Amino acid sequence: MAGTYTPVTVDLDVDAERTDLLTLLRDQRALLRITARGLTDEQARTASTVSALTVGGLIKHVSRVERDMTSQIIERDENAELDMEELGDAYILRADETLAECLEGYERSADEFDRLIAGINSLDELIPQARAPWQPELTWWSVRKLVLHLLRETAHHCGHADIVRESIDGQTTMAALFEN
């Protein structure tokens, strides 16, 4: 949808720190969604650079990260292990998936995450992290660190998506922000 870009604001009843964190996170999510604006499913599956990254796959991945973080905070499983096989198509928008479905799922996972963060007692609460090949020992992150990690992850992949999109049709997020 064309129009003047308006920064995202938080409409949850939260303290100043959460407002700042969630506002920045929502803004990055909006920028990521802009990279998909006007793409067909085929274009969303297009790896337009030397990497295998696609706009649809990146959005699918970030959506999954949001869902996983929500689960980590709710379940707080000290015995959790990352299932590497389960991550097999984490960056792939499969033929049986549509960009619209992926974006709807992203919106749902983002809303769920934000509501959870708004309702948590303290950003200092410690959450056990799943063991992974690069992190074999149990580690604990504060909720704040999880939010900051998600913000970094979203911004990181927003940049990837912008480059992939520009390689598809020349559109950049910055140009799309101010389309009329």
Side-chain angles (χ1 to χ4, degrees), residues 12-95:
L12 299 169
D13 185 22
V14 294
D15 58 44
E17 182 180 16
R18 289 178 217 220
T19 297
D20 289 346
L21 290 170
L22 293 175
T23 296
L24 288 170
L25 181 55
R26 286 182 177 188
D27 196 52
Q28 285 302 302
R29 289 175 183 141
L31 293 172
L32 182 57
R33 285 191 303 273
I34 285 171
T35 64
R37 188 188 295 163
L39 289 180
T40 65
D41 288 340
E42 181 180 328
Q43 288 172 315
R45 290 186 192 95
T46 300
S48 61
T49 67
V50 296
S51 82
L53 297 176
T54 68
V55 171
L58 287 163
I59 293 169
K60 179 180 173 181
H61 166 70
V62 174
S63 180
R64 181 190 175 115
V65 170
E66 295 228 16
R67 285 191 312 276
D68 289 349
M69 285 190 173
T70 298
S71 293
Q72 286 177 16
I73 294 169
I74 292 170
E75 295 169 11
R76 301 183 189 210
D77 183 359
E78 293 181 32
N79 299 308
E81 292 191 31
L82 189 61
D83 184 349
M84 296 303 289
E85 285 184 31
E86 198 176 293
L87 299 178
D89 71 347
Y91 283 94
I92 299 169
L93 185 63
R94 298 184 320 255

Side-chain angles (χ1 to χ4, degrees), residues 107-118:
E107 196 72 32
R108 280 191 308 275
S109 63
D111 287 344
E112 219 176 285
F113 184 82
D114 290 358
R115 282 193 308 276
L116 177 63
I117 298 307

Side-chain angles (χ1 to χ4, degrees), residues 6 30 48 71 95 115 122 142 145-146 149-150 158 165:
T6 304
S48 61
S71 293
R115 282 193 308 276
S122 170
S142 68
K145 184 172 180 177
L146 284 168
H149 177 77
L150 182 57
C158 193
R165 175 62 190 260

